[in-house]
Amino acid sequence: MGKIYDTIIIGGGAAGLMAAVECKRLGQEILVIERNPRPGKKLVITGKGRCNITNFNHDLRALISKYQHNGKFLYGAFSRFTVADTINYFENILHIKTKVERGKRVFPKSNNAVDIIYALIENISEDILPNTSVLSFKMDGKEIVSAVTYKGEFRAKRFILATGGKSYPITGSNGDGYSLAQSVGHTIVEPKPALVPIICKERWIKKIEGLSLLNVNIGVFQKEKLLTERFGEALFTHEGMSGPIIIDISRQIGDALERGEVQLSIDFKPALSKEVLDKRVRADFHKYRLKAFKNSLKDLLPSSIIPIFVELSKIDKEKKVAEICKEERERLVNLLKDFRLSVLKLEDWDKAIVTAGGIDIKEIEPTTMKSKLIDNLYFAGEMIDVYGPTGGYNLQICWSTGILAARSYENE
Ligand SMILES: Cc1cc2nc3c(=O)[nH]c(=O)nc-3n(C[C@H](O)[C@H](O)[C@H](O)COP(=O)(O)OP(=O)(O)OC[C@H]3O[C@@H](n4cnc5c(N)ncnc54)[C@H](O)[C@@H]3O)c2cc1C
């Protein structure tokens, strides 16, 4: 009979590596089984290569409220391994100096995600089995006996499943961890792309690809009912929109699309009421009264979008500004306050930052991350049915659940 490890961790991403580091620190004999040649392939690309480790949000309630879907489940993990504990762990155990940036985003001082991986694997590199996928489990009643791979079976007293979601499958997380969990009886809430750009019906969008909008308000409408709205930054892509606002409301847009048509309404001037904006437009029209309409909007809008506005306003682009009538001006003001786009669909898994859905939280003990169905199975990271907005919130799930799964062994 082969060796029996204390803990086998399946998946060497953020959650699996954190769990492994902590298991090792606690004296457990571990093995990390990772399908890629090297662990942490997704971690390298986080935060545009800088890794936004967490969000400097120390109020537990406020923190949890950011996770709109199943946030309460995280109370167990976030209260036992807090944001402060996370920063402390990075600074004092992993020796990564951190800094806080705009939006309370915490980054390594070095601005280099690779440093995070090196720090995480420093003491466990000998315990990682790369280029190996776990294909199935061998069971004995309600216990997993071994993880089966093409390289043989690996036995352990317990197993931590940290195989991630389905997003960015090129990094190794193709969702097959769900099948592993399902094979031992767990329920999978249908995984869907989240934090993902959208594709719009309007073909002219490609003309303004790359245009970013600052300080706009975007509302999501279905049958003229406002579903949600956000203020901040957005960006036009080749086929649709991306940027912080869109990414953060993308799952809500996706859910609404399953029910019917969805429109976005961009308010280009959210700080101004319609009346005040109308005054402002009148002032501009006075200033440019001798110009053609197409040359009168540069104080109001970024230049690349002006031709689109001119066309959608249905005002003759060559018309002298002085000749524009009140109705036409009102049409322009309406466009500035309520610029409509029709959403076609969300982008696919290859562009989704995280996965909505995953292992049903009802089947996981929130204070230990232990499976309620299998006696020696634990979960960590993105594969659990919970996700947060951008800003470091998703990695915090990985750190807290990874640590909790690691420490739960001691408590048994
Ligand atoms: C472009 C991008 C940028 C991001 N930036 C940030 C950010 O700055 N801050 C933030 O908080 N979040 C960010 N996220 C989200 C965050 O990266 C993820 O939520 C997090 O990395 C998930 O970690 P995980 O360990 O759960 O899963 P993963 O990192 O996906 O790791 C799972 C690992 O399991 C392995 N695996 C899968 N199946 C098997 C198997 N059967 N056998 C063996 N191994 C297997 C995979 O190869 C993979 O290495 C970003 C995501 C993306 C895509």
Side-chain angles (χ1 to χ4, degrees):
M1 199 170 63
K3 176 169 181 167
I4 301 182
Y5 294 93
D6 289 320
T7 305
I8 284 181
I9 297 119
I10 304 166
L17 291 177
M18 190 56 140
V21 170
E22 186 62 4
C23 284
K24 180 102 181 192
R25 239 170 53 88
L26 296 172
Q28 299 169 35
E29 270 208 85
I30 61 160
L31 179 69
V32 179
I33 305 180
E34 166 56 49
R35 77 145 40 97
N36 287 326
R38 276 191 294 275
K41 197 167 172 189
K42 186 173 277 174
L43 259 177
V44 184
I45 57 169
T46 55
K48 301 201 168 98
R50 298 201 302 133
C51 187
N52 179 190
I53 303 169
T54 185
N55 197 279
F56 202 73
N57 192 336
H58 294 301
D59 183 291
L60 192 55
R61 270 221 195 134
L63 178 69
I64 284 173
S65 71
K66 294 280 179 182
Y67 301 79
Q68 288 160 2
H69 178 66
N70 287 342
K72 277 190 193 144
F73 170 80
L74 291 168
Y75 187 85
F78 284 1
S79 58
R80 284 167 178 78
F81 193 71
T82 63
V83 168
D85 295 334
T86 305
I87 293 170
N88 191 34
Y89 203 95
F90 272 93
E91 294 265 350
N92 298 317
I93 293 175
L94 299 172
H95 306 295
I96 293 280
K97 293 280 160 257
T98 62
K99 59 174 174 174
V100 185
E101 291 191 4
R102 190 169 58 97
K104 297 186 186 171
R105 290 162 193 248
V106 180
F107 289 91
K109 254 195 182 139
S110 68
N111 284 324
N112 193 349
V114 175
D115 290 350
I116 304 282
I117 296 168
Y118 281 141
L120 284 166
I121 64 173
E122 192 179 356
N123 293 322
I124 57 165
S125 55
E126 301 292 308
D127 307 301
I128 299 173
L129 177 65
N131 294 312
T132 310
S133 293
V134 172
L135 306 171
S136 60
F137 290 128
K138 273 218 173 128
M139 304 292 295
D140 179 9
K142 280 175 72 184
E143 281 211 348
I144 299 172
V145 179
S146 63
V148 180
T149 76
Y150 283 128
K151 294 183 182 163
E153 284 178 34
F154 296 90
R155 295 167 68 102
K157 293 180 192 152
R158 66 168 191 150
F159 295 80
I160 298 177
L161 199 51
T163 45
K166 283 184 81 171
S167 54
Y168 270 67
I170 196 171
T171 62
S173 54
N174 63 358
D176 66 2
Y178 299 137
S179 316
L180 287 172
Q182 227 166 3
S183 74
V184 297
H186 272 281
T187 311
I188 308 301
V189 176
E190 186 190 353
K192 293 177 182 173
L195 306 188
V196 63
I198 59 167
I199 297 177
C200 297
K201 289 184 183 157
E202 289 74 9
R203 304 320 305 158
W204 48 256
I205 281 186
K206 59 175 170 294
K207 293 188 194 156
I208 51 170
E209 177 181 5
L211 171 67
S212 75
L213 305 173
L214 297 177
N215 304 328
V216 291
N217 195 75
I218 299 187
V220 179
F221 283 86
Q222 185 153 54
K223 291 186 183 151
E224 283 314 304
K225 186 175 168 227
L226 178 66
L227 302 181
T228 185
E229 61 183 329
R230 290 280 196 293
F231 172 82
E233 289 172 38
L235 170 81
F236 286 100
T237 63
H238 186 62
E239 290 185 295
M241 291 197 81
S242 184
I245 301 182
I246 298 294
I247 294 286
D248 278 341
I249 56 177
S250 57
R251 194 55 255 153
Q252 277 160 285
I253 295 174
D255 290 342
L257 277 171
E258 287 175 16
R259 299 190 296 267
E261 291 193 1
V262 176
Q263 286 205 321
L264 296 186
S265 160
I266 307 177
D267 182 347
F268 282 83
K269 302 288 168 195
L272 309 180
S273 67
K274 249 189 195 169
E275 293 66 35
V276 176
L277 180 59
D278 188 51
K279 254 193 204 162
R280 161 85 199 272
V281 171
R282 267 189 281 161
D284 280 15
F285 276 9
H286 182 69
K287 184 172 161 193
Y288 295 114
R289 62 190 175 283
L290 300 178
K291 300 248 185 214
F293 172 53
K294 67 179 181 191
N295 297 325
S296 68
L297 299 175
K298 59 176 183 266
D299 297 348
L300 275 172
L301 287 165
S303 58
S304 62
I305 205 171
I306 290 175
I308 311 274
F309 261 80
V310 168
E311 201 178 320
L312 295 177
S313 71
K314 300 201 175 82
I315 304 171
D316 179 359
K317 64 181 176 190
E318 304 298 342
K319 194 172 196 174
K320 277 266 158 54
V321 170
E323 291 165 12
I324 292 174
C325 69
K326 184 171 174 243
E327 263 173 27
E328 289 173 321
R329 196 185 69 233
E330 278 173 0
R331 274 212 303 275
L332 176 68
V333 170
N334 279 337
L335 262 186
L336 285 162
K337 292 295 286 176
D338 184 12
F339 186 92
R340 293 287 174 132
L341 289 170
S342 297
V343 185
L344 186 64
K345 57 181 181 174
L346 302 187
E347 292 263 16
D348 217 335
W349 287 111
D350 58 336
K351 301 251 174 65
I353 290 176
V354 293
T355 309
I359 311 287
D360 193 334
I361 54 157
K362 291 199 280 300
E363 298 170 356
I364 306 173
E365 205 55 71
T367 55
T368 57
M369 293 300 126
K370 187 173 170 172
S371 159
K372 289 183 181 172
L373 311 180
I374 303 296
D375 290 342
N376 61 347
L377 178 63
Y378 295 75
F379 296 101
E382 192 177 320
M383 68 177 322
I384 302 169
D385 178 21
V386 58
Y387 75 95
T390 54
Y393 295 99
N394 287 294
L395 282 174
Q396 186 62 51
I397 297 176
C398 298
W399 313 135
S400 291
T401 56
I403 288 277
L404 204 54
R407 290 183 182 169
S408 300
Y409 186 62
E410 269 203 325
N411 299 336
E412 283 174 357

